[in-house]
């Protein structure tokens, strides 16, 4: 009998030997332990990081405050938001989707007529908001130089095209409203056609004008003329309003805008403004607007309503030059909160 191994046939079976230890594979290894940091400067490093974090937070808070103040200045530039002059009521509002708006509107006194402007600068946010003040200055200066809206718009376009700083292109609606003759002379440079809602329920689109500003140096522009009768209403708006989408990816479109305004056609311009904007936001539901929303409403009051206002002792009498009555209002707490949220 062999002592080292056992023979079975021609094969040799080894005797029982202790099993070799299996080296652990990479997958069998447990989590490696990180070395313990015992640097004496660790506390100082943590304190330094905290100070840097606090400095970044303070700088961010200052930036938010600066943007909020800029938004307030922009709101004051786009004014007045509500105005009564002779037989006409005017109301306008802007809802920016970012810190500052690329949209704007302006109502200005031009001798015996009113200048009405609605604009939309390409882009959104800070860059568009900075260009807004420059463009508004160009419009006001040329509106006082040229009598025809088409000539004023063409002059603004030439100055933009000659600007070496490459300003963005912009859409603009500019009109002169003769309060005594109830005549509107306008030029539309690339903005969605403003609407005239007649008292008899007919709708007209104001399409006379030319291309957007800043695109073609030699662009030509035309003026259109119409008369506003008692009960007629003008709606000038930016494309952010009609292109506002709902959760089903449908756009608000011009048909809904017309219906929303006609639903309150007998109300004041201010009531029509906020009722229409409310209809847009209700349509969007939970979908935030993708672009700035701007709406300007001009309404010629009916004769009975005008006489009732004239009889009110608080309403100024019309003199040789139509009196301009501006109703100034402070920013409400809800509007102020919304602006702060946009600045964050």
């Amino acid at each position: 009998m062999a002592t080292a191994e056992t023979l079975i046939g021609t094969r040799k079976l080894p005797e029982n030997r202790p099993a070799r230890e299996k080296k652990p594979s990479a997958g069998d290894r447990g989590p490696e332990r990180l070395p313990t940091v015992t640097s004496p400067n660790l506390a100082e490093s943590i304190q330094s990081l905290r100070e840097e974090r606090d400095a970044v937070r303070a700088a961010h808070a200052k930036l938010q405050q600066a943007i909020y103040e800029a938004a307030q200045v922009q709101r004051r530039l786009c004014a007045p938001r509500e105005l009564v002059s002779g037989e006409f009521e005017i109301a306008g509002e802007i809802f920016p989707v970012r810190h500052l708006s690329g949209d704007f509107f302006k109502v200005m006194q031009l001798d015996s007529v009113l200048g009405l402007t609605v604009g939309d600068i390409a882009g959104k946010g800070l860059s568009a908001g900075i260009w807004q003040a420059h463009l508004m200055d160009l419009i006001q200066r040329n509106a006082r130089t040229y009598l025809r809206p088409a000539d004023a718009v063409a002059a603004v376009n030439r100055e933009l095209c000659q600007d070496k700083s490459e300003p963005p292109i912009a859409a603009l609606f500019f009109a002169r409203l003769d309060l005594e003759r109830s005549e509107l002379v306008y030029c539309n440079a690339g903005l969605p056609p403003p609407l005239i809602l007649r008292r008899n329920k007919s709708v007209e689109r104001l399409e006379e004008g030319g291309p957007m500003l800043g695109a073609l140096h030699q662009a030509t522009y035309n003026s259109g003329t119409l008369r506003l009768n008692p009960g007629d209403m003008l709606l000038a708006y930016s494309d952010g309003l009609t292109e506002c989408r709902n959760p089903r990816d449908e756009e608000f479109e011009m048909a809904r805008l017309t219906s929303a305004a006609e639903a309150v056609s007998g109300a004041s311009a201010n009531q029509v403004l906020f009722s229409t904007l409310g209809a847009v936001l209700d349509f969007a539901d939970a979908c935030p607007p993708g672009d700035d929303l701007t709406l300007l409403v001009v309404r010629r009051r009916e004769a009975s309503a005008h006489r009732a206002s004239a009889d009110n002792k608080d309403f100024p009498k019309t003199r040789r030059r139509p009196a301009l009555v501006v109703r100034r209002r402070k920013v409400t707490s809800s509007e102020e909160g919304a602006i702060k949220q946009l600045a964050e």
Side-chain angles (χ1 to χ4, degrees):
M1 183 174 180
T3 58
E5 54 186 15
T6 303
L7 299 176
I8 300 178
T10 58
R11 301 183 61 184
K12 297 180 180 180
L13 298 179
E15 293 182 342
N16 294 332
R17 296 177 182 177
R20 296 180 180 178
E21 293 184 3
K22 183 180 178 182
K23 295 182 179 181
S25 62
D28 296 334
R29 294 175 184 173
E32 296 183 1
R33 300 183 115 188
L34 297 175
T36 304
V37 179
T38 59
S39 171
N41 297 326
L42 179 60
E44 296 179 5
S45 300
I46 293 175
Q47 180 61 27
S48 177
L49 289 174
R50 286 175 177 170
E51 291 175 356
E52 291 181 12
R53 179 201 61 190
D54 293 342
V56 170
R57 287 178 175 176
H60 181 62
K62 289 182 179 180
L63 178 60
Q64 286 182 325
Q65 181 63 28
I67 292 173
Y68 170 71
E69 292 173 357
Q72 292 287 67
V73 171
Q74 191 179 61
R75 288 181 64 84
R76 288 192 288 271
L77 289 175
C78 296
R81 281 180 144 64
E82 186 179 4
L83 178 149
V84 175
S85 185
E87 299 180 1
F88 290 90
E89 300 172 343
I90 302 174
E93 189 56 83
I94 299 175
F95 287 167
V97 296
R98 292 188 183 174
H99 319 294
L100 298 176
S101 174
D103 289 3
F104 63 91
F105 74 88
K106 184 70 177 178
V107 181
M108 63 193 96
Q109 187 79 55
L110 302 173
D111 295 328
S112 61
V113 303
L114 289 182
L116 309 174
T117 301
V118 176
D120 183 359
I121 299 174
K124 294 179 285 294
L126 292 175
S127 61
I130 291 171
W131 277 109
Q132 183 208 88
H134 175 61
L135 182 55
M136 290 178 68
D137 176 68
L138 290 180
I139 295 167
Q140 292 188 73
R141 176 156 47 83
N142 286 286
R144 290 179 167 85
T145 304
Y146 299 94
L147 292 178
R148 294 179 65 249
D151 294 337
V153 172
V156 172
N157 179 67
R158 286 194 299 271
E159 292 197 45
L160 284 177
C161 291
Q162 293 170 357
D163 197 320
K164 302 300 182 181
S165 55
E166 299 183 358
I169 60 175
L172 174 70
F173 173 78
F174 172 61
R176 294 171 64 93
L177 176 61
D178 189 320
L179 301 174
E180 294 181 352
R181 301 171 59 186
S182 299
E183 182 180 76
L184 185 79
V185 184
Y186 73 91
C187 178
N188 184 21
L191 206 70
L195 304 177
I196 296 293
L197 277 59
R198 298 292 186 183
R199 185 184 179 188
N200 61 6
K201 304 301 182 182
S202 64
V203 180
E204 301 173 18
R205 295 158 56 103
L206 305 188
E207 298 178 322
E208 286 290 338
M212 298 178 71
L213 304 178
L216 300 171
H217 184 274
Q218 300 298 331
T220 59
Y221 296 88
N222 301 315
S223 295
T225 304
L226 59 94
R227 177 180 171 81
L228 290 174
N229 301 314
D232 291 347
M233 188 162 48
L234 163 70
L235 301 181
Y237 54 93
S238 64
D239 58 4
L241 193 143
T242 50
E243 294 176 2
C244 187
R245 295 180 177 274
N246 65 10
R248 295 182 296 278
D249 202 32
E250 300 170 334
E251 291 187 350
F252 190 70
E253 297 180 341
M254 193 177 299
R256 290 188 177 91
L257 172 61
T258 304
S259 299
E262 286 180 340
V264 287
S265 59
S268 68
N270 197 53
Q271 291 171 329
V272 172
L273 171 76
F274 286 102
S275 178
T276 304
L277 289 174
V280 176
L281 297 178
D282 287 344
F283 172 82
D285 197 12
C287 291
D291 198 359
D292 301 329
L293 307 179
T294 300
L295 178 61
L296 180 68
V297 179
V298 179
R299 177 177 178 270
R300 183 180 176 186
R301 291 179 292 180
E302 300 182 28
S304 58
H306 177 56
R307 283 195 299 271
S309 298
D311 292 339
N312 189 329
K313 64 180 180 179
D314 296 328
F315 190 83
K317 301 289 184 179
T318 302
R319 302 173 184 173
R320 181 177 180 183
R321 176 177 172 177
L324 190 65
V325 182
V326 179
R327 297 174 182 170
R328 302 184 181 276
R329 65 180 179 87
K330 296 181 179 180
V331 178
T332 63
S333 58
S334 59
E335 290 174 337
E336 184 173 347
I339 294 174
K340 286 184 176 180
Q341 290 180 358
L342 290 169
E344 294 177 353

